[in-house]
Amino acid sequence: MTDFSYRGGKLFAEDVPITEISSFIGTPFYCYSASILEDNYRRFASAFQGLNAEICYAVKANSNQAVISLFAGMGAGADVVSEGELRRSVAAGISGEKIVFSGVGKSATELAVALEYGCGQFNVESESELNLLSEVASDMGKTATIVFRVNPDVDADTHHKISTGRAGDKFGIQFERVAEAYDRARILDGIDPRGLAVHIGSQLTRLDPFRGAFEKIAGLVRELRAKGHVIERLDLGGGLGIVYRDEILPNLSDYADIVRNVFGQMGLKITFEPGRRLTGEAGILVTEVLHMKESGGRRFAIVDAAMNDLIRPTLYDAWHEIEPVVEPENGGPVSPLDIVGPVCETGDVFAVQRQMPETRVGDLFVLRSAGAYGAVMSSTYNSRQLVPEVMVKGDLYTVIRPRSDFDTLIGMDIVPDWIATE
């Protein structure tokens, strides 16, 4: 599935040539296809028809308000992990009761803001957080609906930096301590415990880790109910992977079948928190070749995008397909090329010895599958401007985040008056 394809020798985003956008806004920039976003959401939602299910988009994947608003219009809630994401979601049109507040380190201030917004569910990740939420809620005269995030000690078989369900990971409450935490929650002021949550990692390409975690959670639900606890909600998180290179992904229907087989007869309201699955393949990063050089027997293309714009290759050794905007000749010559950014770091690399067609200064490249954990993880390292984001729908496109300007960037600093200047 793609709405980024070649027509007449040029790459298009839906019905808009990439060259048209680059001429208007310059490079680098992110470009998202609204049609892919919509199709991904519909496919995900349709897989769970017949279940009492709610989709809360994981805002951390891509927090642009245009993206959140598009999903909100299709019926989605939001899964947030900070006050900023909470406020963004509300601003984008998602009501408080459709927001799930996740995250391992919620502060008292964040909890208070979430309670004021009427946040529909708090995913509690520690006994310490439980106590703090009780204090904040009772002081405000409010009641927080909570579920406990369980750490099931299941290895998701994904990159170690995005695995979240092992016993040594920082997330969730130890499986063996959940019953004790539930007992305490029942007697705390301002707390209404209603269920459990589990999320074992991101970019999973196999279903057996899900099945293993879900079966453990189902057993825990039965155990807690036998003790008289109310378990009516179950948050299954996200984590389904996308194609970056040559991954073979399980069918959504097979994932949905596991959910039905494990939980279908338990009378639970089930929440899903897809993020990457909805946005990853819907976005590209467009960049221009600034310089070509040779060194140590290697050829380098130095582009104007950098690790501060897309950190995944540096942070995760992640692979992104890279293609020229002008379609190369079919069967034409290719040769190894290192594609690197201008940031003053050896790690500012997008591809090493990638087989690429003949490349010249001024050529445009696209990095595919950049719609998740791309712009949202960007920074101003080396005092570089944040790059713009564009959304395309048919033959229309809109800049949904403009390029930042240097006056704003530099103006964020305050020089004390006791520092002498000439």
Side-chain angles (χ1 to χ4, degrees), residues 35 37-47 74 393:
S35 294
L37 294 169
E38 292 166 345
D39 286 347
N40 286 347
Y41 185 89
R42 291 191 191 99
R43 290 169 188 264
F44 196 96
S46 64
M74 301 182 76
K393 177 67 172 178

Side-chain angles (χ1 to χ4, degrees), residues 352-370:
V352 176
Q353 296 292 278
R354 189 76 61 91
Q355 293 293 325
M356 298 294 293
E358 183 179 356
T359 301
R360 300 181 179 86
V361 171
D363 286 353
L364 297 178
F365 286 148
V366 297
L367 283 76
R368 286 189 175 266
S369 298

Side-chain angles (χ1 to χ4, degrees), residues 212-365:
F214 293 170
E215 288 176 348
K216 291 188 74 171
I217 296 300
L220 185 57
V221 170
R222 288 189 285 269
E223 175 187 335
L224 293 171
R225 283 177 168 175
K227 293 182 176 181
H229 293 301
V230 174
I231 310 291
E232 62 183 22
R233 298 185 181 198
L234 190 59
D235 188 329
L236 297 183
L240 282 169
I242 65 169
V243 174
Y244 285 104
R245 188 175 185 178
D246 53 8
E247 296 89 347
I248 299 175
L249 302 180
N251 292 325
L252 265 173
S253 59
D254 292 335
Y255 173 74
D257 285 344
I258 291 175
V259 175
R260 289 190 177 91
N261 291 339
V262 176
F263 301 114
Q265 304 303 314
M266 301 186 78
L268 294 160
K269 176 186 177 183
I270 298 178
T271 300
F272 298 96
E273 299 171 356
R276 187 195 312 261
R277 185 75 179 207
L278 301 185
T279 62
E281 294 178 69
I284 58 175
L285 174 63
V286 182
T287 184
E288 180 179 346
V289 177
L290 297 175
H291 303 286
M292 297 292 299
K293 67 180 288 185
E294 293 189 15
S295 178
R298 299 166 75 104
R299 296 173 58 249
F300 294 84
I302 303 170
V303 299
D304 58 2
M307 60 183 280
N308 72 293
D309 305 313
L310 178 63
I311 200 173
R312 294 190 72 257
T314 300
L315 184 61
Y316 304 126
D317 296 319
W319 175 286
H320 288 266
E321 292 289 351
I322 301 178
E323 300 173 352
V325 167
V326 176
E327 187 174 19
E329 178 184 350
N330 189 25
V334 296
S335 59
L337 183 66
D338 286 11
I339 302 172
V340 302
V343 155
C344 194
E345 295 279 351
T346 303
D348 184 21
V349 176
F350 291 123
V352 176
Q353 296 292 278
R354 189 76 61 91
Q355 293 293 325
M356 298 294 293
E358 183 179 356
T359 301
R360 300 181 179 86
V361 171
D363 286 353
L364 297 178
F365 286 148

Side-chain angles (χ1 to χ4, degrees), residues 22-68:
S22 65
S23 296
F24 173 71
I25 200 172
T27 56
F29 65 90
Y30 280 94
C31 180
Y32 311 126
S33 163
S35 294
I36 297 179
L37 294 169
E38 292 166 345
D39 286 347
N40 286 347
Y41 185 89
R42 291 191 191 99
R43 290 169 188 264
F44 196 96
S46 64
F48 301 99
Q49 286 183 350
L51 287 174
N52 182 11
E54 181 177 28
I55 297 173
C56 289
Y57 165 60
V59 172
K60 60 180 176 290
N62 185 319
S63 64
N64 193 291
Q65 289 181 63
V67 174
I68 302 171

